Each structure stands twice: as structure tokens, then as C-alpha cells.
Amino acid sequence: FEMIANTSTYGSEAGLRSYVKSVFVQFDADNSNSIEPNEFRNLCIELGYNFNAAELGTIFSIIDTDHSGTIEFDEFFEWWKQSDRFRLHDARKLQLYRAALSQFRQYDLDGNGKISMDEYRTIAKQSGWNKTEKELQAMVQKLDTDGDGEISFDEYVAWLNWGP
């Protein structure tokens, strides 16, 4: 599905609200009119957010402004409007972003939301890059702007210069 949320694209706040409602319903797997933590985790993964359990819990708590233990649509809508990830204002950038997410998922072999050095080596070998270990490490270091030894999706998008 599309990941764009600005009122100019949808013509009005009501148009945007209608679109975001359709996304909300898609992730409300049990049709409870709210999103539980496990549904929120699935939503985040689908949208390219790869948070650990503690981060997910914190973010969920921030979005769940009434502290009910679930995210109702109004809470979800406010989060959606404020999230930087959805501030893609032109169709070309949106297509590039979606391509980047698809490509990143292919490289993230274990699905943990990061490309490790081992995964990068595997990609390099499969792609026939013929790089030395030192060259591969230098390439990962260039992309790994937070210095954790792995490439996150945000670092990947920043490197591609395809982000919002």
C-alpha cells in the first residue's frame, strides 16, 4: 500500500483521514477497532520500522495517549500525521522509497531490520563484487553512520539519498 500522508495529495483532512482509516483497518487484524501491540509490531515491520521490543513498547505507549493498552484510530491518525516516514511529497520519491525498502529486505537476510557485516559479505559474494575484507568493512563503515556495526534502513535510505 502507499505510504504517503499529506493533505495536498488527498485534497483535504477528510480525504487523508479516510485513507489512513483504510490503513488502520488493514492492520487491525482482529477487527477490534483498535491496534494491539502485536498488530502494531506487524505494522511497523511492514512500513520499514524495525524496532526492538523495548523501543516498540515505548513508541506504543507514546501513541496510546489514553493509556488503554491499545491504539484507537484517532491516536493512530495523529501519529501518522506526525511521522517523518510518511512525509514523501512526490510520487517519484515514494516509488524510490518503496524500492529501497524492498531492496533492503532482500539484503537483511535474517529479517532483524539491519544489515550485518556477515550479511554484507554474503551480498557482496552473491553479487560478484570481488572486494577484500578490508574494502567491505570500509563500505559498511561508510553507511553505518551511528557506529553500531550494522546498516539500518534509515542509514541505507540516507546513503541512497532517496529519503523524504
Side-chain angles (χ1 to χ4, degrees):
F1 63 91
E2 288 185 287
M3 295 183 295
I4 187 164
N6 63 31
T7 54
S8 62
T9 301
Y10 294 95
S12 68
E13 178 91 2
L16 174 61
R17 192 173 183 82
S18 175
Y19 170 71
V20 175
K21 181 70 173 183
S22 72
V23 174
F24 180 86
V25 168
Q26 179 181 350
F27 287 98
D28 178 17
D30 63 0
N31 299 312
S32 64
N33 293 317
S34 62
I35 293 180
E36 285 83 30
N38 63 321
E39 293 168 330
F40 183 68
R41 179 182 174 278
N42 293 339
L43 176 143
C44 289
I45 291 168
E46 180 64 29
L47 300 181
Y49 291 99
N50 291 287
F51 301 116
N52 65 37
E55 292 168 330
L56 265 174
T58 299
I59 295 163
F60 189 90
S61 294
I62 290 167
I63 298 168
D64 179 21
T65 56
D66 68 1
H67 310 291
S68 65
T70 61
I71 298 171
E72 286 73 32
F73 176 71
D74 287 338
E75 295 166 326
F76 181 76
F77 184 63
E78 288 306 311
W79 170 72
W80 184 283
K81 289 192 313 184
Q82 294 171 15
S83 175
D84 288 341
R85 185 62 53 93
F86 305 108
R87 296 184 189 207
L88 298 171
H89 297 290
D90 72 51
R92 184 172 180 280
K93 280 220 178 215
L94 176 61
Q95 287 176 332
L96 290 173
Y97 176 87
R98 293 176 84 183
L101 181 57
S102 175
Q103 194 174 51
F104 183 84
R105 285 183 174 153
Q106 289 175 357
Y107 298 155
D108 178 17
L109 302 176
D110 65 6
N112 73 344
K114 296 195 173 217
I115 299 171
S116 67
M117 191 65 220
D118 286 341
E119 289 168 324
Y120 201 79
R121 272 188 214 98
T122 301
I123 295 161
K125 185 176 181 179
Q126 290 174 348
S127 301
W129 292 349
N130 297 321
K131 301 285 183 189
T132 67
E133 179 66 18
K134 191 173 184 175
E135 289 171 319
L136 290 174
Q137 288 176 353
M139 293 168 83
V140 168
Q141 285 177 342
K142 182 178 180 180
L143 275 74
D144 176 27
T145 57
D146 69 4
D148 69 354
E150 299 179 306
I151 303 164
S152 70
F153 179 66
D154 289 338
E155 289 168 332
Y156 184 71
V157 169
W159 173 73
L160 293 171
N161 196 24
W162 287 0

